[in-house]
Amino acid sequence: MSTPQNVAVNGSRLWQSLMDMAQIGGTPKGGVCRLALTDLDKQGRDLFVRWCEEAGCTISVDRMGNIFARRPGRNDSLPPVIMGSHLDSQPTGGKYDGVYGVLAGLEVVRSLNDMNYVTEAPVEVAVWTNEEGSRFAPAMVASGVFAGVFDLEYGLSRADLDGKTMGEELARIGYAGDREVGGRKVGAYFEAHIEQGPILEAEGKTIGVVTDCQGQRWYEITFTGQEAHAGPTPMVRRKDALLGAARVVDAVNRIGLKYGPLACATVGLMQIHPNSRKVIPGRVFFTVDL
Ligand SMILES: [Zn+2]
């Protein structure tokens, strides 16, 4: 078979699938709340699996619940070309995000089917479990096990705020697969994703290509001062933990600006103790995201 020219996917079919998937966990403002390994996540997974089976794919699920929908290649022993992303969302997520990366992969498979085109290597569409890390920390834990960054026991034992583990919840929704996690060659991996910032839109561009990784660092900092009554304690006698933390917040911001435009520095979480208007703060916990 000759290589087809000017190949295009079916954009309206992809759009319709995105809209259909967004029904599951849809929120009044038009977004999606579909946290990892909830009943809604199961519904989203079931719909994806049904679509892939209708497209002639073979489904396999590994022990972290990662789903792989496989379209065979002419030489099926070659490492697969994998496309994918995630179906889970943040509590106030959008319709696209990881879903777009998953369904774009499915649309490639559907388009190859339309053309009766047989690829040399097999093609797989992947759904990674709990990429968001919203219900179970850390983020990207199941793809991390696949890549060998975390071990399986660590992944399965991650617990949500109610103490339910990923292993228990995978079993409950029927996605505790039996396939080994990772341990196989991948020919190439593609992930389409909605940009999570404002830059492409601001520059009027349709698409960007990732060329580097974020070198992300997270710090957790506790400042300890001394609690005392706000009214009777003279200014010069105080050890105000929040005042120290406030100076660090400003310094973190200056670091981000100094190494811009690519550096970003954020203090996004702060807990003040005892958090009373009549008490000088004795302890402050905060996070820094660099
Ligand atoms: Zn995402």
Side-chain angles (χ1 to χ4, degrees):
M1 180 187 286
S2 62
T3 305
Q5 302 295 312
N6 294 326
V7 174
V9 297
N10 183 334
S12 54
R13 177 170 57 193
L14 173 56
W15 181 260
Q16 190 56 52
S17 294
L18 282 162
M19 294 305 110
D20 291 346
M21 185 62 82
Q23 299 282 312
I24 301 172
T27 58
K29 285 171 81 177
V32 168
C33 175
R34 200 167 50 232
L35 299 185
L37 309 187
T38 56
D39 292 351
L40 290 170
D41 187 21
K42 173 189 165 49
Q43 285 178 41
R45 287 163 173 262
D46 289 351
L47 179 59
F48 169 75
V49 165
R50 180 163 67 77
W51 282 339
C52 291
E53 286 175 344
E54 286 169 2
C57 293
T58 308
I59 303 293
S60 66
V61 180
D62 71 21
R63 294 183 65 194
M64 283 304 300
N66 299 317
I67 307 170
F68 301 93
R70 183 178 173 100
R71 183 180 191 268
R74 197 190 331 265
N75 180 355
D76 211 40
S77 64
L78 288 174
V81 174
I82 303 183
M83 298 164 288
S85 191
H86 60 101
L87 293 177
D88 69 318
S89 81
Q90 294 284 344
T92 53
K95 286 188 177 79
Y96 311 104
D97 200 77
V99 186
Y100 172 61
V102 171
L103 297 183
L106 174 60
E107 178 53 40
V108 169
V109 167
R110 287 169 166 172
S111 297
L112 290 170
N113 289 347
D114 292 344
M115 293 183 292
N116 285 316
Y117 191 81
V118 181
T119 55
E120 192 64 23
V123 169
E124 295 186 12
V125 184
V127 174
W128 305 107
T129 300
N130 185 52
E131 285 285 277
E132 293 288 12
S134 179
R135 183 175 174 202
F136 304 94
M140 298 174 282
V141 65
S143 56
V145 175
F146 185 94
V149 178
F150 304 119
D151 65 35
L152 178 64
E153 269 42 68
Y154 174 84
L156 292 175
S157 63
R158 294 308 88 208
D160 68 7
L161 289 175
D162 296 328
K164 292 177 181 154
T165 66
M166 287 187 71
E168 290 162 3
E169 288 293 273
L170 279 168
R172 186 183 68 78
I173 68 165
Y175 277 89
D178 51 13
R179 185 171 189 175
E180 184 192 353
V181 187
R184 62 191 178 108
K185 282 214 171 81
V186 174
Y189 180 79
F190 297 97
E191 178 156 348
H193 205 285
I194 295 296
E195 189 202 20
Q196 293 168 327
I199 298 170
L200 288 179
E201 186 174 359
E203 296 191 357
K205 290 180 177 160
T206 308
I207 193 167
V209 178
V210 175
T211 56
D212 295 275
C213 292
Q214 272 190 341
Q216 192 172 54
R217 297 284 183 280
W218 283 359
Y219 299 94
E220 297 185 341
I221 301 173
T222 301
F223 267 35
T224 307
Q226 189 172 48
E227 286 152 42
H229 278 291
T233 311
M235 298 302 288
V236 294
R237 300 286 297 270
R238 297 180 175 208
K239 292 175 181 163
D240 184 336
L242 180 57
L243 185 62
R247 288 175 178 160
V248 173
V249 173
D250 186 45
V252 165
N253 190 64
R254 272 186 274 121
I255 290 168
L257 289 169
K258 180 177 175 188
Y259 294 96
L262 292 178
C264 290
T266 306
V267 175
L269 183 155
M270 184 173 278
Q271 293 168 336
I272 303 165
H273 182 81
N275 209 23
S276 162
R277 75 181 68 196
K278 283 301 290 172
V279 181
I280 296 159
R283 190 175 68 246
V284 175
F285 170 83
F286 60 101
T287 59
V288 176
D289 173 299
L290 284 186

